[in-house]
Amino acid sequence: MPFSELIAQDRAVSSLRSALRRGALHHAYLFGGPEGVGKATAARLLAQAANCEAPAPEGGHRDDPCGACGPCRKIARGVHPDVLVLQEERVMAKAGRWDPKGGRSPSKDIVVDQVRDVVDRRLALKRFEGRRRFVVLDPADAMNPQAQNALLKTLEEPPDDTTLVLVASSPDALLPTIRSRCLRVPFAPLPAAAVAARLEAEGRPAGEARLAAALAGGSLARALALDAETLAAERDAVLAAAALDAADAGAWLAFARDHGDDREAAAELCALLAVWLRDVLAAHAGSADLALGDLAEATRRTAAALSPAEILRRREEVQKTAAALRQNAAPTLALERLLIAWFHGRG
């Protein structure tokens, strides 16, 4: 898989390819950006390209892995002895790649023992077979403060021919001392159209692909994980919200009860309502280019009934509700407040 297979990450890919061509990889990178946009894949491709045995251009270095040589295949399978991947303790323990010290239950964090044993101890040894050794910490923002402090010495004095890649969806949660010792490579949220196109290429129906892309918030991984049943339920929820009667408070409360029993589902509903209301505003302006084309009838009906100011106000209330859910608001109460705000401020 070449770097070009990463969707809409041209800026990040360009900087990595340039470093590979010059043979000047940094000793530590921080790949920061939303989940599911290609950061971990880019870390693997970087390790493959740096260790690829396929012929390089004369006088230069490869900036893409071949994917077929021995090192490329080993890295893809996760068995290359010079490419170490450090994950949360419970993930590594479940996979049989780590035993927590003292027989304790594995942590949801990356802990200091892992850094000392998997990183420090292994990096003190000579390379086994690769041209360049890699340590990938994914997710690096799962390191607790003690683990981050333990990693500092390696970041300050890295062994020769070694690159550490810290993969983080919340890079600013890392200690400033960690961030300052890494070259930051930003990864952007993926455009919904690009996510939908990838899903369609993998056989998803066009309407389902657009709906999944709208719900995924720029994450291909999240879009791939959304199954048809979940998408149908979210679509039906938007149609139900569009059909609510401003005079029927009982229907509002029933809607909130029906869709507020699960925080994640309520958050996904808010995400989709925000996209749908953006479509409503576009339809009000006469645009036929709707992100959720299969909801076009309900979208145009709502656009005809509301003013642009009211559409924007309702969308703002949806965004406030989404923020409240992220702050652990009770889902049913949050949806109740949303609908009360919708209909009590109607203009």
Side-chain angles (χ1 to χ4, degrees):
M1 175 180 176
F3 279 108
S4 60
E5 290 298 312
L6 290 172
I7 299 175
Q9 300 296 353
D10 294 349
R11 181 180 175 188
V13 167
S14 177
S15 67
L16 297 177
R17 276 184 158 158
S18 176
L20 284 164
R21 283 194 297 269
R22 291 182 286 109
L25 288 179
H26 201 267
H27 73 276
Y29 290 97
L30 174 54
F31 289 3
E35 291 184 9
V37 298
K39 302 186 303 296
T41 300
R44 174 176 57 77
L45 290 169
L46 186 65
Q48 287 178 306
N51 287 287
C52 184
E53 291 182 345
E58 186 175 350
H61 297 263
R62 290 189 62 87
D63 64 357
D64 251 334
C66 74
C69 68
C72 281
R73 292 199 305 270
K74 285 183 180 180
I75 293 169
R77 297 200 312 270
V79 296
H80 196 291
D82 292 316
V83 179
L84 313 176
V85 178
L86 197 62
Q87 298 169 290
E88 301 100 316
E89 188 177 45
R90 62 184 177 184
V91 172
M92 293 183 67
K94 185 176 181 180
R97 295 189 290 115
W98 173 256
D99 290 320
K101 305 296 182 184
R104 59 177 174 76
S105 297
S107 170
K108 61 180 174 49
D109 298 331
I110 294 175
V111 300
V112 65
D113 289 338
Q114 290 174 278
V115 173
R116 288 172 177 162
D117 286 14
V118 179
V119 180
D120 294 346
R121 183 178 61 82
R122 291 285 295 275
L123 292 186
L125 304 174
K126 291 183 178 180
R127 292 195 310 279
F128 287 90
E129 60 184 69
R131 285 196 301 268
R132 190 169 190 90
R133 187 161 39 189
F134 279 79
V135 179
V136 179
L137 294 97
D138 179 19
D141 38 353
M143 284 189 292
N144 62 28
Q146 294 82 4
Q148 293 186 54
N149 282 317
L151 187 67
L152 276 175
K153 187 175 187 304
T154 301
L155 289 174
E156 290 168 348
E157 301 174 14
D160 292 338
D161 300 318
T162 298
T163 291
L164 287 84
V165 182
L166 282 65
V167 175
S169 57
S170 300
D172 291 333
L174 293 167
L175 296 174
T177 46
I178 293 286
R179 300 198 306 268
S180 67
R181 287 161 174 79
C182 298
L183 181 62
R184 192 155 177 171
V185 180
F187 284 73
L190 304 178
V195 174
R198 172 61 67 89
L199 295 178
E200 286 187 57
E202 297 193 5
R204 303 282 284 272
E208 184 180 306
R210 287 195 299 272
L211 190 56
L215 270 175
S219 168
L220 177 60
R222 188 159 177 250
L224 290 168
L226 289 167
D227 58 31
E229 183 178 352
T230 299
L231 293 170
E234 296 295 347
R235 177 186 182 279
D236 291 346
V238 171
L239 291 174
L244 288 172
D245 186 342
D248 188 355
W252 314 347
L253 298 177
F255 180 92
R257 285 195 305 272
D258 290 344
H259 299 283
D261 59 347
D262 180 86
R263 179 180 304 279
E264 185 175 345
E268 288 176 349
L269 174 58
C270 286
L272 194 55
L273 283 171
V275 174
W276 174 67
L277 286 168
R278 187 177 62 204
D279 273 1
V280 172
L281 192 64
H284 197 287
S287 173
D289 184 17
L290 304 179
L292 306 176
D294 55 340
L295 302 180
E297 184 179 347
T299 300
R300 295 192 180 99
R301 187 168 58 247
T302 303
L306 301 177
S307 68
E310 174 62 13
I311 297 167
L312 287 170
R313 190 189 67 79
R314 290 194 181 192
R315 192 164 187 263
E316 183 178 350
E317 294 296 343
V318 169
Q319 291 168 332
K320 288 179 183 176
T321 303
L325 289 168
R326 289 193 294 271
Q327 297 297 321
N328 293 322
T332 299
L333 289 176
L335 292 179
E336 286 179 0
R337 291 182 183 125
L338 167 64
L339 295 173
I340 290 169
W342 269 21
F343 296 122
H344 272 259
R346 201 160 185 250

